[in-house]
Amino acid sequence: MRRILLVAFVTVLALAAWTGLWATGVIAGWSHTPIAPRGDTAAFAKAAAAKIDAEHKGVASFALIEKGKVVATHFASTGTPVNDDTLYQVASLSKWVTSWGVMHLVEQGKVDLDKPVDTYLKRWHLPNSGFDNRKVTVRRLLSHTAGLVDGLGYAGFKPGEKVQTVVESLTHTADASPGRDGYVRVGMEPGSQWKYSGGGYTILQLMIEDVSGEPFNDYMRETVLTPLGMARSTYVLPEGGGMNIAGFYDPEGKPAIHYRFAALAAASLYTSTHDMARFIAANSKGANGEPAGRGVLKPSTLAEMRKPLAYQYGAAIWGMGNILFAENNTGDWIVGHDGDNEPAINTTARVDPSSGDGIVVLESGNDLLASDIGGEWTFWRTGNIDLITAVVDFNRFFPLLAGGWIAITLAGLIFGWRTWRRRA
């Protein structure tokens, strides 16, 4: 009996060791090869362009930035040609830009990061819950740690459908993504853990309007977009059209619906590679001594936004408004945001604030292409696997993990059976 117990112990130990080895390998990128030699900008740009041409099924725009300057671009379209001024609806990438608008109010002393957000709301308030709503602060909303459990995701409104007001959307979202009930509410202890919440950014949208006294889009254009030189970017398209808008495509490359949103702050920014390159550059000191933030935010504020506030499995994943994709090997982070929405919008913008190097990929027609190229850039730039690539690789290589589990378990069972037979 003792030998059988020993076999069982060794089997469990082997399973744990195999799982740890597999996880370490995925996180460390043992199975990952850079798509271009480290430091070879031209080779990376060529590889990224080839990947776009091979995998896009609709439209895509790409810009590579070094020291705040665009050094390579690539554009692809199955329909109307696109260029660096073509506007894309960028889904959740909107949140990163929105966070600058929030922090501008903080710098002006109009908003305190650690006061209850309800302090600043006039037209809607968090519904009562079994938790202390006073712990739902602006800082926690920015980092998805406020205890909200909406899990939104906004699906948007079709052309001709009435778009809700922001208050109506917060009361009960009519365009909730599939599987969500559309109610924005506190459902766990604020500050206890990270849980993605599009509803949290809709609350911040309302806060901006109630504090500034302006419509959200007007405020963002006046205080963030125009000062940064993002002249064409907007959260609301002007009436009458006339804008150069990228087409919308589904994963099969067929033309898709252009949805509108009540949740502007979370999902509705329209921007281009030209304008996002300006935004990327503003995260670092300029070539002519321009300060990071370019006067919209202070450099110290940007540094505060990059401090880890949210963790999963012990790894830092989120600051205030930005994803902490990977360490940049100089004591800071590769930061930015990705966007993903139906039918197949995928976008990414990332920057190494220590150098001003970055990447922008905006596309429709492939639900993972932009994030994939962004992950390749992060790995090429730092040698570190980024957050999203790690998740993809975990799923991709799970069969290898499961195969190891099966092999170890079968070996343990066979060895244990033979031990039992010999003892018998």
Side-chain angles (χ1 to χ4, degrees), residues 34-54:
I35 64 173
R38 294 277 303 277
D40 191 335
T41 300
F44 180 86
K46 183 178 180 180
K51 187 173 179 66
I52 289 170
D53 288 341

Side-chain angles (χ1 to χ4, degrees), residues 319-334:
M320 284 193 290
N322 47 47
I323 300 173
L324 309 179
F325 283 106
E327 294 182 17
N328 71 347
N329 302 324
T330 63
D332 212 325
W333 300 87
I334 301 294

Side-chain angles (χ1 to χ4, degrees), residues 238-263:
E239 296 290 337
M243 304 289 282
N244 177 18
I245 307 294
F248 294 78
Y249 295 86
D250 68 15
E252 285 72 47
K254 297 177 182 178
I257 295 172
H258 176 187
Y259 291 93
R260 266 60 171 202
F261 295 89

Side-chain angles (χ1 to χ4, degrees), residues 60-92:
S61 295
F62 159 76
L64 189 63
I65 300 108
E66 290 195 345
K67 297 181 180 179
K69 302 292 185 182
V70 175
V71 295
T73 59
H74 186 71
F75 308 98
S77 176
T78 59
T80 304
V82 294
N83 55 42
D84 63 350
D85 278 331
T86 301
L87 295 179
Y88 288 74
Q89 193 182 64
V90 297
S92 287

Side-chain angles (χ1 to χ4, degrees), residues 217-234:
N217 188 53
D218 292 352
Y219 169 84
M220 289 299 298
R221 285 183 58 81
E222 291 169 8
T223 62
V224 178
L225 301 176
T226 300
L228 291 180
M230 301 170 69
R232 287 174 51 79
S233 297
T234 180

Side-chain angles (χ1 to χ4, degrees), residues 110-259:
K110 295 180 179 180
V111 167
D112 187 317
L113 284 170
D114 298 309
K115 281 189 176 180
V117 71
D118 262 349
T119 303
Y120 305 106
L121 303 180
K122 300 175 182 177
R123 292 172 286 161
W124 179 89
H125 294 280
L126 281 162
N128 292 331
S129 68
F131 301 90
D132 188 353
N133 287 350
R134 293 173 298 179
K135 295 181 180 180
V136 179
T137 64
V138 176
R139 188 188 303 272
R140 287 171 173 167
L141 288 171
L142 285 168
S143 59
H144 301 282
T145 59
L148 302 182
V149 293
D150 56 272
L152 293 166
Y154 294 92
F157 297 89
K158 296 178 181 179
E161 287 184 336
K162 179 182 178 297
V163 177
Q164 288 181 299
T165 66
V166 64
V167 172
E168 289 171 341
S169 181
L170 284 168
T171 302
H172 184 221
T173 304
D175 64 329
S177 50
R180 310 301 178 189
D181 63 14
Y183 289 99
V184 178
R185 64 194 183 280
V186 180
M188 59 187 183
E189 181 65 24
S192 63
Q193 59 182 296
W194 176 86
K195 186 173 178 60
Y196 193 82
S197 167
Y201 273 73
T202 306
I203 293 175
L204 293 172
Q205 175 183 331
L206 180 66
M207 183 197 75
I208 285 174
E209 291 189 346
D210 285 350
V211 171
S212 70
E214 298 182 74
F216 175 77
N217 188 53
D218 292 352
Y219 169 84
M220 289 299 298
R221 285 183 58 81
E222 291 169 8
T223 62
V224 178
L225 301 176
T226 300
L228 291 180
M230 301 170 69
R232 287 174 51 79
S233 297
T234 180
Y235 285 82
V236 180
L237 292 177
E239 296 290 337
M243 304 289 282
N244 177 18
I245 307 294
F248 294 78
Y249 295 86
D250 68 15
E252 285 72 47
K254 297 177 182 178
I257 295 172
H258 176 187
Y259 291 93

Side-chain angles (χ1 to χ4, degrees), residues 21-32 385 389-391 393-394 397:
L21 181 66
W22 176 87
T24 300
V26 171
I27 294 170
W30 292 350
S31 61
H32 215 88
I385 291 290
T389 302
V391 172
D393 282 355
F394 265 93
F397 295 110

